[in-house]
Structures are given as structure tokens and as C-alpha cells.
């Protein structure tokens, strides 16, 4: 199964945080699943790091590259179809990173692993 991780889901998984649901953890740890991370999430993490709201044990790029390869995640690039979907999306959620992640899930037809119940207003499958 292809799965798109929300930014907080990825951060909580990497940190071993108990806020991550057991269902999300099982799906992420399942080697048969294709785990996708939006470039938007990496961008959001970079901003949080620059603001001092997120800390890593390694330099940012090295940390992300190591985690992606070690956990077998794949980056989902942002394309014009994803951006076009945002044009007609209702504003149930105003966070630009979350809107892009929702648009990617809609266009790609894949579920999002996220605690954010605001995503339920969109025509996507949210798993938590």
C-alpha cells in the first residue's frame, strides 16, 4: 500500500514519540508498504529547524537523507497536478503545507497517515 505521511507523523515516528498511533506505527514499519514523504514536509521541517522549533542529532540534510534511506521512505515531489488541485480546494484547512499534502493525496489517490481530523473534510482517506 502507498502511504503519505503528514509532517508530524514523520517527526513522531523518527522520535519514537508515544503520540504516534499504533496503527500508524504498524503501517510505517510494514516493509511491504510504500511510504511517501512530501517534499512539502521536508520544507516545513527545514522552516521549523530554522526557527529553533525542531532539533536533530545531525546537520539537517544529513539527518533527512539518513532517515529516508534507513526507514525506506521515498520523497514525493511536488508537480503541477498537485498544485492545480489546490486551486479548487475549499479552505477547510488553511495551513499551506497541509493543503499541499492533501492535494497530493487526492491526485495520487493515496491515504494520509495523520492525526489531523481537519483532513476528513476533504475527499481523501486519513488513517490514524
Amino acid at each position: 500500500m502507498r502511504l503519505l505521511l503528514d509532517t508530524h507523523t514523520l517527526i513522531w515516528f523518527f522520535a519514537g514519540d508515544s503520540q504516534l498511533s499504533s496503527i500508524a506505527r504498524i503501517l510505517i514499519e510494514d516493509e511491504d508498504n510504500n511510504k511517501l514523504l512530501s517534499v512539502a514536509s521536508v520544507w516545513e521541517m527545514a522552516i521549523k529547524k530554522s526557527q529553533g522549533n525542531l532539533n536533530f542529532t545531525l546537520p539537517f540534510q544529513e539527518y533527512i537523507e539518513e532517515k529516508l534511506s534507513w526507514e525506506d521512505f521515498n520523497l514525493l515531489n511536488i508537480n503541477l497536478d498537485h498544485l492545480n488541485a489546490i486551486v479548487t480546494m475549499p479552505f477547510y484547512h488553511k495551513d499551506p503545507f497541509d493543503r499541499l499534502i492533501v492535494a497530493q493525496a487526492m491526485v495520487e489517490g493515496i491515504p494520509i497517515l495523520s492525526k489531523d481530523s481537519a483532513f476528513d473534510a476533504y475527499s481523501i482517506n486519513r488513517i490514524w
Side-chain angles (χ1 to χ4, degrees), residues 4 85-86 89 93 97-107 110 112 118-119 122-124:
L4 181 57
I86 292 172
M89 279 175 56
H93 206 306
F97 296 106
D98 287 341
R99 288 179 56 77
L100 181 52
I101 291 168
V102 168
Q104 288 179 304
M106 290 178 359
V107 169
I110 55 178
I112 298 176
F119 289 175
Y122 296 99
S123 59
I124 59 160

Side-chain angles (χ1 to χ4, degrees), residues 82-101:
H82 301 149
L83 298 175
N84 189 51
I86 292 172
V87 173
T88 58
M89 279 175 56
F91 276 90
Y92 302 131
H93 206 306
K94 293 186 169 70
D95 181 283
F97 296 106
D98 287 341
R99 288 179 56 77
L100 181 52
I101 291 168

Side-chain angles (χ1 to χ4, degrees), residues 11-123:
I11 292 169
W12 292 348
F13 177 75
F14 285 168
D17 195 308
S18 63
Q19 294 180 84
L20 184 68
S21 76
S22 58
I23 292 169
R25 181 168 305 286
I26 289 167
L27 290 170
I28 294 168
E29 290 176 347
D30 186 336
E31 294 178 5
D32 292 329
N33 289 332
N34 181 5
K35 288 125 354 206
L36 300 171
L37 176 63
S38 174
V39 169
S41 290
V42 178
W43 180 12
E44 183 177 11
M45 291 169 68
I47 290 171
K48 289 178 185 284
K49 169 70 174 150
S50 71
Q51 295 171 330
N53 297 328
L54 198 54
N55 295 308
F56 302 107
T57 55
L58 299 168
F60 178 75
Q61 182 174 342
E62 188 177 337
Y63 179 84
I64 296 297
E65 289 173 347
E66 179 182 285
K67 290 296 188 181
L68 291 176
S69 66
W70 187 65
E71 299 294 346
D72 196 30
F73 288 102
N74 295 299
L75 281 178
L76 178 59
N77 289 318
I78 301 165
N79 66 43
L80 288 176
D81 290 335
H82 301 149
L83 298 175
N84 189 51
I86 292 172
V87 173
T88 58
M89 279 175 56
F91 276 90
Y92 302 131
H93 206 306
K94 293 186 169 70
D95 181 283
F97 296 106
D98 287 341
R99 288 179 56 77
L100 181 52
I101 291 168
V102 168
Q104 288 179 304
M106 290 178 359
V107 169
E108 300 295 326
I110 55 178
I112 298 176
L113 292 178
S114 178
K115 183 177 182 175
D116 194 341
S117 60
F119 289 175
D120 296 341
Y122 296 99
S123 59

